[in-house]
Amino acid sequence: MPTNTITPAADLREQPQGLGHAAWMGQVRQAMSDRQDAMQAVIDAADAAGRSNLLASEQREFDGHQDELRRLTAIYQANEVDYRQVIMTGGTAPTDRGDELPLLTRSQSFADWTARHGHRADDGQDEVRLGALLRTWVTGRRDGLNDAELRAMAEGTATAGGHLVPTPTAAQLIDKARNTARVFQAGVTTVPMDAATLKVPRLTGTSAPAWRNENAAVAEGDLTLDSVTLTARSMAFLVKMSRELIEDSSPNIVNVVEADLAAQVALELDRVALRGSGTAPEPRGVRNQTGVTLIAHGANGDTIANLQYDMLIDAQAAVRAQNFEPNAVIDAPRTEQGLAKLKDLNGQYIQPPQGLLPRYPTNQVPINLTVGTSTDTSEVYTGQWDQLYFGLRTGPMTIQLVERYADVGQVALLIWMRGDIALAHGEAFAVDTGVRA
């Protein structure tokens, strides 16, 4: 994009007369995005010329866009108070490296983000519960509905394919799944995607200070960047239920349906984030990403009794050796059981050493992997988990009640969502392989 078509930060410092706050912030976000694209264009031009470093003129152009991006970011942070924590999140997240994309931590709500950015109206009132809508659609009963749910029913959600769940409810289900998934509990970063693909810039090289003698030349260094690309991929599943179950259930069906759907989504997000193959349409998980440190334990693996806590300590050290700070471990429940049962020669349980990271077991880490002649091995994942990006296509999830199974007395919920997995830096992760019981 030509520089003269990008709105300068100076022109956006004050809210224009007659323009609403949301529209003003939209202009600021667009200008920020344009500056990011211009920075990336400079990098792409150098790549196309076969150069890994920027020319002096290119560096000046890049720095000019980056300075404007910082000014725009300051405007945005000062006027979008709720967004400030998102922008400032993470010591090594891309927000410190020139781009100002929305990055949501575990504690930040995707539903709130969609409300602030025009994907639904946020009236601050009651939550619209999926189970409550399901019960009303099937039985016609409106008892127990709160005001927000009554309004949602009145707004007409019926489509040719059935009843479409309102966007706020889908966003709330995403948050429930995020709260349940182990990778998100470990600290994965959620990146809302307003397009089918999204490039997240990252810094890959920088200069280093150097001591110099009087009148000697100053050491030079080059700032190098590239990007990771998130591509929205589709995940869908169908959940069937009998009409009698819904008709005869107490209002508890409200919580049961949402908890079950959130758990199913969370399990799949754990699996694909850790071990996704990367073969379309499946995203590529940590285990199959480049740059990740793989720690083998012999040709046929080794037992937890032999590896003990040294395995965890060494994995933490491997990540730190790459200048990243690990914050959590994800492993299989069997691994946790083995560590908990470690005993000394007197039969006394061994106390874990100081400095071990929090661990989050999930059965999405297999225990039947083949290493050499062993067919019962597992893996242990150690990392700085905010370096794993979960791109979520804003919409964000579509949930629809379909009645194609009416002839057998069933209804079904069709759920689909779009997203992707990427690592900002594979070096922020280490995976122990060949871990036996």
Side-chain angles (χ1 to χ4, degrees):
M1 175 177 294
T3 302
N4 58 12
T5 67
I6 305 177
T7 305
D11 293 350
L12 294 169
R13 190 173 291 117
E14 301 293 337
Q15 182 172 342
Q17 182 111 16
L19 189 68
H21 183 272
W24 175 35
M25 289 294 96
Q27 290 185 358
V28 175
R29 288 196 301 272
Q30 182 60 55
M32 291 166 63
S33 177
D34 290 343
R35 292 292 173 183
Q36 292 166 13
D37 291 344
M39 291 164 63
Q40 187 64 49
V42 175
I43 302 299
D44 292 344
D47 289 343
R51 290 182 282 103
S52 59
N53 299 327
L54 299 180
L55 300 175
S57 59
E58 293 172 328
Q59 188 67 62
R60 285 193 296 272
E61 181 182 355
F62 183 93
D63 291 344
H65 290 307
Q66 190 171 51
D67 288 343
E68 277 289 277
L69 182 57
R70 290 186 179 120
R71 295 186 189 101
L72 290 162
T73 301
I75 295 170
Y76 194 87
Q77 290 177 354
N79 294 280
E80 189 79 335
V81 176
D82 290 343
Y83 211 60
R84 189 169 299 164
Q85 285 186 325
V86 179
I87 296 297
M88 297 303 293
T89 292
T92 57
T95 50
D96 293 325
R97 299 175 181 178
D99 77 304
E100 301 298 338
L101 294 171
L103 305 178
L104 307 185
T105 66
R106 172 190 173 189
S107 63
Q108 292 166 318
S109 166
F110 187 82
D112 289 347
W113 187 91
T114 58
R116 287 199 305 271
H117 293 80
H119 296 282
R120 68 176 174 94
D122 186 7
D123 56 11
Q125 300 300 315
D126 295 325
E127 179 180 301
V128 179
R129 300 164 297 171
L130 173 60
L133 297 183
L134 174 63
R135 183 167 172 261
T136 300
W137 284 333
V138 171
T139 67
R141 293 165 51 190
R142 294 174 178 257
D143 55 293
L145 296 183
N146 59 42
D147 290 342
E149 289 158 353
L150 289 170
R151 287 196 301 273
M153 299 298 298
E155 287 169 0
T157 53
T159 69
H163 293 278
L164 197 62
V165 173
T167 298
T169 307
Q172 290 157 9
L173 187 63
I174 283 287
D175 281 336
K176 288 182 173 66
R178 290 172 64 218
N179 289 337
T180 304
R182 289 307 209 181
V183 291
F184 286 92
Q185 292 174 6
V188 166
T189 300
T190 302
V191 185
M193 299 174 63
D194 277 325
T197 61
L198 177 66
K199 283 191 174 183
V200 185
R202 62 177 178 178
L203 186 65
T204 57
T206 186
S207 58
W211 298 97
R212 56 180 291 277
N213 294 315
E214 185 177 357
N215 297 322
V218 176
E220 296 183 7
D222 296 293
L223 186 72
T224 56
L225 293 95
D226 64 1
S227 61
V228 293
T229 301
L230 294 164
T231 302
R233 305 177 187 275
S234 296
M235 178 185 77
F237 62 102
L238 194 70
V239 180
K240 294 188 290 185
M241 295 163 281
S242 73
R243 296 182 65 92
E244 289 85 355
L245 171 66
I246 298 170
E247 291 172 354
D248 297 340
S249 293
S250 70
N252 288 336
I253 189 68
V254 170
N255 297 324
V256 171
V257 170
E258 292 188 52
D260 181 70
L261 291 179
Q264 291 186 50
V265 172
L267 286 172
E268 178 56 20
L269 293 181
D270 277 338
R271 186 196 69 80
V272 76
L274 297 174
R275 308 198 81 253
S277 67
T279 301
E282 185 172 287
R284 188 180 304 278
V286 172
R287 175 64 176 82
N288 297 310
Q289 296 270 3
T290 59
V292 174
T293 299
L294 300 180
I295 303 174
H297 295 290
N300 303 310
D302 204 348
T303 64
I304 294 174
N306 290 330
L307 297 172
Q308 300 201 13
Y309 291 108
D310 288 351
M311 168 184 66
L312 304 179
I313 295 170
D314 291 344
Q316 292 176 205
V319 174
R320 290 185 176 125
Q322 300 294 329
N323 292 320
F324 290 92
E325 184 56 38
N327 69 293
V329 173
I330 296 179
D331 57 8
R334 187 187 73 178
T335 302
E336 286 297 298
Q337 179 185 25
L339 290 170
K341 293 172 69 174
L342 290 175
K343 298 177 182 177
D344 61 23
L345 296 178
N346 297 318
Q348 301 297 312
Y349 287 106
I350 297 175
Q351 292 298 314
Q354 296 292 321
L356 292 184
L357 300 173
R359 299 194 299 277
Y360 298 94
T362 172
N363 60 14
Q364 296 304 85
V365 177
I367 57 173
N368 60 350
L369 300 174
T370 298
V371 172
T373 59
S374 300
T375 59
D376 61 347
T377 75
S378 188
E379 296 168 338
V380 178
Y381 293 75
T382 303
Q384 181 178 322
W385 290 92
D386 64 0
Q387 296 297 300
L388 192 158
Y389 292 161
F390 171 53
L392 180 60
R393 185 73 168 95
T394 50
M397 173 187 283
T398 304
I399 308 173
Q400 190 169 13
L401 176 74
V402 294
E403 300 196 34
R404 70 176 71 168
Y405 305 99
D407 57 333
V408 290
Q410 291 180 323
V411 296
L413 285 175
L414 177 62
I415 297 99
W416 69 93
M417 60 179 289
R418 297 175 66 198
D420 197 13
I421 299 291
L423 297 189
H425 293 89
E427 296 80 4
F429 296 88
V431 180
D432 285 271
T433 63
V435 179
R436 303 180 60 199

